[in-house]
Amino acid sequence: MDNMVPKNILLRLSNDDEKAFEFIYWKYNAHVYNFANSLLYSPKIAQDITQNVFLKIWEKRHEINPEQNFNAYLFTIARNMVYKETEQKLLAEQSLRQLQEEEDVLDMSTIQTLDYHFTEELCRSLVEELPPARREIFKLSRFERLSNKEIALRLSISERTVETQLYRATRFLKRKLLSDEGLGLLILLFIIQSN
């Protein structure tokens, strides 16, 4: 890969030239994807990171210095996003382990005596805290039991967007539920059951 992006392309990019952005995108897209995938071993997450890297390039286009090594700048952004993703994965795994430990401690009779309607209502109220589009996608998936493909067709969005929004909704709900200690596990069971 040629490490140099012509200075005039970077100058055009800083002046909001979309063609210059497209040039950079097509020049580096596969390289950023392969870099992320080689570290994460997840094509889906690598694809998300690749898109986010180029979104960040567009957002920071006015701050790019044409005299600096653009290749190093680009891959620093990619590396930082991979590190952040790895950290989030580790935290999620740690939370899951903790959740499994708490589950072992819980008495099954406690779970059986839990008022199911109270749990469902609490979960639905948390769903209402989601941003409107994410909330709609989550409800279609979990309450109406539509597939990602059906949701994408109904809302005229990509399946990838559906997957991303469901991931973010679930992450938000888990975080909210786990903040209520033991009750969080019980409500999480409701979410998992509705899968």
Side-chain angles (χ1 to χ4, degrees):
M1 171 177 63
D2 177 13
N3 290 340
M4 297 301 294
V5 174
K7 288 181 188 178
N8 69 326
I9 296 287
L10 295 174
L11 288 170
R12 287 174 40 207
L13 175 65
S14 68
N15 289 319
D16 304 329
D17 185 334
E18 291 178 16
K19 294 288 185 198
F21 177 76
E22 285 180 29
F23 173 85
I24 292 169
Y25 177 83
W26 289 114
K27 180 177 178 74
Y28 287 101
N29 178 42
H31 300 292
V32 171
Y33 171 83
N34 289 332
F35 171 75
N37 194 39
S38 71
L39 295 173
L40 297 170
Y41 305 106
S42 172
K44 287 183 177 183
I45 296 174
Q47 191 176 31
D48 279 347
I49 285 177
T50 301
Q51 293 301 313
N52 288 334
V53 165
F54 286 99
L55 179 62
K56 179 73 83 180
I57 292 295
W58 181 253
E59 290 171 350
K60 300 282 189 178
R61 66 191 177 277
H62 300 293
E63 299 171 23
I64 295 174
N65 182 349
E67 303 300 322
Q68 298 290 324
N69 182 339
F70 180 77
N71 189 43
Y73 178 73
L74 177 74
F75 281 94
T76 297
I77 293 171
R79 184 194 68 221
N80 289 340
M81 288 187 178
V82 166
Y83 287 166
K84 186 175 181 182
E85 181 65 32
T86 303
E87 181 181 11
Q88 288 174 346
K89 273 185 170 181
L90 290 172
L91 289 173
E93 288 172 9
Q94 180 183 8
S95 296
L96 183 60
R97 278 194 304 275
Q98 183 180 2
L99 191 60
Q100 288 169 339
E101 290 171 6
E102 289 175 10
E103 183 179 46
D104 293 341
V105 171
L106 282 177
D107 178 43
M108 284 308 289
S109 64
T110 305
I111 294 173
Q112 292 170 345
T113 57
L114 178 68
D115 182 358
Y116 177 80
H117 295 292
F118 169 77
T119 305
E120 183 179 13
E121 187 58 40
L122 182 57
C123 187
R124 287 183 189 270
S125 71
L126 288 174
V127 168
E128 292 304 314
E129 291 182 28
L130 294 169
R134 191 172 299 158
R135 177 176 54 233
E136 181 178 10
I137 291 169
F138 185 86
K139 285 181 176 180
L140 291 171
S141 173
R142 299 305 194 264
F143 300 140
E144 292 188 31
R145 299 207 179 273
L146 296 180
S147 69
N148 290 357
K149 188 173 195 168
E150 292 169 320
I151 296 168
L153 288 172
R154 183 181 283 188
L155 300 178
S156 300
I157 57 177
S158 71
E159 281 185 64
R160 186 86 195 112
T161 300
V162 172
E163 291 169 4
T164 301
Q165 291 301 318
L166 286 174
Y167 169 76
R168 290 176 179 165
T170 304
R171 188 176 68 191
F172 167 81
L173 292 172
K174 284 180 183 177
R175 204 174 13 215
K176 284 289 211 176
L177 295 173
L178 292 175
S179 69
D180 287 339
E181 299 183 327
L183 182 61
L185 173 65
L186 301 174
I187 298 169
L188 185 58
L189 290 173
F190 167 75
I191 292 174
I192 293 170
Q193 284 178 339
S194 62
N195 280 337

